[in-house]
Amino acid sequence: MDPLIASMKVAASGLEAQSTRIRIVSENLANARSTGDVPGADPYRRKTITFVAELDRSVGASLVEVDRLAEDESNFTAEFDPGNPAADEKGMVKIPNVNVLVEMADMREANRSYEANLQSIRQSRDLISATIDLLRASQ
């Protein structure tokens, strides 16, 4: 396969992986304060994503893919909020294990990775166009 086309496929797999990562981070941020509905119920549990490099024989290169989505098993924190429907008899409510600062940093990194993959596709496209222009000019 043409190396320029292969580079575009590799970058496209990166775009898809980072898009999924951005979606997971967005879900975490949206549910950062989602508590349970009844006393003692567990709140939203942070989701995590892992990637794996898979060899694509048709491309002759490793493509990034989502390996698995999982839940963060770290402990919940508790805060005093006796008016919350999820408050126990002591007025304590379990709070999701989502750290907004960590999620924002992860979002920024995913966004930059997405942009880098997009730039790789643009560069490959420009090189393919330049090659076609050279071939037209030599006829």
Side-chain angles (χ1 to χ4, degrees):
M1 172 170 275
D2 179 55
L4 291 175
I5 300 296
S7 68
M8 290 178 79
K9 288 191 179 211
V10 170
S13 73
L15 286 175
E16 187 174 344
Q18 294 305 324
S19 177
T20 303
R21 183 178 176 194
I22 290 169
R23 182 182 57 82
I24 295 301
V25 171
S26 296
E27 288 177 17
N28 290 340
L29 286 169
N31 289 292
R33 298 295 295 171
S34 296
T35 61
D37 295 334
V38 295
D42 283 344
Y44 175 83
R45 188 171 287 279
R46 178 180 182 260
K47 293 180 183 175
T48 61
I49 185 170
T50 55
F51 302 111
V52 64
E54 291 288 329
L55 178 63
D56 185 334
R57 294 193 195 302
S58 67
V59 176
S62 292
L63 305 179
V64 65
E65 293 183 4
V66 173
D67 184 31
R68 67 187 173 99
L69 300 176
E71 291 185 344
D72 184 351
E73 295 299 323
S74 63
N75 294 329
F76 300 118
T77 58
E79 70 181 36
F80 185 71
D81 185 4
N84 191 308
D88 61 14
E89 63 279 349
K90 296 177 186 173
M92 299 302 285
V93 178
K94 291 181 187 177
I95 302 300
N97 58 350
V98 176
N99 182 330
V100 175
L101 292 176
V102 169
E103 298 302 323
M104 291 302 294
D106 200 26
M107 178 72 81
R108 175 175 282 165
E109 182 181 335
N111 188 34
R112 287 184 177 159
S113 295
Y114 188 92
E115 288 173 357
N117 283 300
L118 193 57
Q119 187 60 32
S120 293
I121 290 174
R122 286 183 185 132
Q123 290 294 321
S124 295
R125 183 193 64 205
D126 290 347
L127 288 171
I128 290 169
S129 293
T131 303
I132 291 170
D133 291 342
L134 284 173
L135 290 171
R136 282 187 194 148
S138 66
Q139 290 181 351

